[in-house]
Amino acid sequence: MGSVRAPWRTDRVDRSGRPGGPGPSAPPASLGARDEVLRPAAVAKVWTAVGQPLETIAVPGVVLGAGDVIVAVELATVCGSDVHTALGHRPAPTPLILGHEYVGRIVAIGSAGAHDVAGVRLQLGDRVVWSACASCGACDRCRRGIPQKCRDLRKYGHERVGSRWELCGGFASHVHVRAGTPIVTVGERMPARVAAPAACATATAMAALRRAEREVPVAGAVVLVSGAGMVGLSAAAFAAARGATVIVADPDKRRRKLSRRFGASAAIDPRECDALAGALATLGRDEVDIAIEASGSPAAVAAALAAVGIGGAVVLVGSVFPGGTVAVDPERIVRGLVTVAGVHNYTGEDLRDTVSFLRDAWGRHPFEDLVEPVFALADADEALAAAAGGEALRVGLDPRR
């Protein structure tokens, strides 16, 4: 990739190669589609198998559908699920382009135009983040308000590279953002290291808190956040901003200290007996109202279920990989009027609210510091290794380097 930042240019041609719009003989499935040529060609890093280095591919152009956009990536970040895929901890099709946390600029827009989640028409040059999921908008699940579980769901960074969707993940210079993907503009001031994780970790934290809020008012509540990773720290900041008293539990001393800068009133080591009871006593509170479990540890899940008081809510968000089962006392759930909910992925509204929060909060909380180090796209293997090491909360990839 080198250190030269080349200007990206797109040239539009129709399906027959002539300048202009779509060809008149295009089949119904391709109505409004056109060839979009990328000069220079887009570059992507492709995962093919566990233990194999990522391969580099060039994509000189894509078939841009009506309502699609192409985004030149400014920064992508490495999510834990990217690491799990690369290590073989979860099934995945191959070849695929990892990455579903990103920020960039729109460089091409499909023939029908495109809109953000607020319905505002998008323009070339807009700086945006977009959802990890593309939904159909018409199936029963989409109509029920859970488009993140669409019957025809497509997920960036999780799909096999294929015809008409070659640029399907964030470890690339460009991403082909398909119609049905929630897009949010982020403006010019928000640092890329703050904006990129919004597309997964930060928006997932917002989804978890919004799910809890359906059962328990967050203002005035005691919120226990288990796990001080990117999701947990974001959830702590969201809850504190809404007037909650936040207790963060994490075995890592450094992360416990960091959680204070994200609004935690107390930070405890979950391995210590009576640590939670002691924190509650110090805060003058007697029970937990909301527990957000963001670590995925079975022990932490069990502790969250045991921690909430009468009428409380437990939101499980970290258990996204096989980790063992947890024993549940159903009588306690019943007599305690406890709600247990799972959150996976998020909606366009969650992403919108996340970006809205971050526009002001990145100056109050050190979100930008959570992404370090940042590698060039050519060094994506090193970035994955650094993320797998566990020291960094988020590792970045800058394709412009």
Side-chain angles (χ1 to χ4, degrees):
M1 298 287 290
S3 59
V4 177
R5 297 185 181 182
W8 293 98
R9 183 175 77 254
T10 63
D11 294 325
R12 294 169 184 160
V13 296
D14 72 2
R15 300 297 295 129
S16 63
R18 298 185 302 271
S25 60
S30 299
L31 285 176
R34 67 165 186 263
D35 287 332
E36 194 78 22
V37 179
L38 298 169
R39 296 183 178 173
V43 176
K45 302 295 285 189
V46 177
W47 181 76
T48 58
V50 176
Q52 295 299 311
L54 299 176
E55 296 184 8
T56 302
I57 63 169
V59 180
V62 302
V63 177
L64 191 65
D68 295 357
V69 302
I70 298 176
V71 179
V73 178
E74 179 182 348
L75 183 74
T77 45
V78 183
C79 178
S81 63
D82 295 319
V83 175
H84 297 153
T85 297
L87 295 178
H89 296 168
R90 57 190 294 164
T94 58
L96 68 80
I97 302 170
L98 296 166
H100 53 271
E101 294 182 343
Y102 25 48
V103 60
R105 290 189 187 278
I106 295 176
V107 297
I109 300 175
S111 60
H115 298 79
D116 68 9
V117 295
V120 177
R121 192 174 183 90
L122 293 165
Q123 304 293 330
L124 293 176
D126 281 348
R127 190 165 178 255
V128 297
V129 296
W130 59 101
S131 173
C133 302
S135 307
C136 75
C139 71
D140 58 324
R141 292 176 182 172
C142 288
R143 294 195 305 271
R144 284 173 53 199
I146 50 172
Q148 69 272 40
K149 290 297 176 181
C150 172
R151 297 281 183 184
D152 191 32
L153 191 71
R154 297 291 184 268
K155 295 190 70 174
Y156 298 85
H158 295 76
E159 304 282 343
R160 187 179 189 276
V161 175
S163 175
R164 291 181 177 252
W165 205 24
E166 298 86 354
L167 296 170
C168 54
F171 288 15
S173 63
H174 290 69
V175 176
H176 180 177
V177 181
R178 297 174 58 154
T181 304
I183 301 173
V184 179
T185 57
V186 298
E188 302 298 325
R189 293 182 59 250
M190 188 183 300
R193 298 188 194 205
V194 176
C200 181
T202 327
T204 299
M206 178 63 75
L209 192 67
R210 292 181 70 190
R211 180 63 186 87
E213 208 164 27
R214 286 162 54 181
E215 311 299 333
V216 180
V218 173
V222 174
V223 176
L224 171 66
V225 177
S226 299
M230 195 83 182
V231 173
L233 292 173
S234 299
F238 295 153
R242 297 192 188 193
T245 299
V246 180
I247 302 171
V248 171
D250 196 287
D252 187 298
K253 182 178 180 180
R254 179 178 63 92
R255 294 192 179 192
R256 291 199 302 272
K257 182 178 180 181
L258 182 61
S259 71
R260 298 279 193 168
R261 301 181 65 190
F262 285 84
S265 297
I268 62 173
D269 187 338
R271 299 169 298 185
E272 296 179 359
C273 294
D274 301 323
L276 178 58
L280 287 169
T282 299
L283 296 170
R285 308 298 291 265
D286 57 0
E287 63 184 14
V288 170
D289 302 299
I290 296 170
I292 297 177
E293 205 303 293
S295 73
S297 161
V301 171
L305 293 170
V308 293
I310 300 295
V314 179
V315 180
L316 306 179
V317 67
S319 301
V320 291
F321 50 87
T325 58
V326 176
V328 176
D329 179 358
E331 182 183 13
R332 184 181 184 281
I333 300 297
V334 171
R335 293 188 182 278
L337 306 178
V338 173
T339 299
V340 181
V343 164
H344 187 230
N345 302 332
Y346 55 86
T347 66
E349 289 75 18
D350 296 323
L351 183 59
R352 175 203 63 198
D353 289 355
T354 297
V355 171
S356 178
F357 176 87
L358 290 173
R359 285 195 176 101
D360 296 322
W362 73 263
R364 299 194 305 269
H365 304 296
F367 281 98
E368 190 173 9
D369 296 345
L370 301 182
V371 180
E372 181 65 35
V374 175
F375 293 84
L377 180 62
D379 300 322
D381 288 295
E382 289 82 353
L384 275 171
E391 289 298 316
L393 285 163
R394 274 298 183 275
V395 172
L397 281 173
D398 185 346
R400 303 169 303 168
R401 292 187 177 185

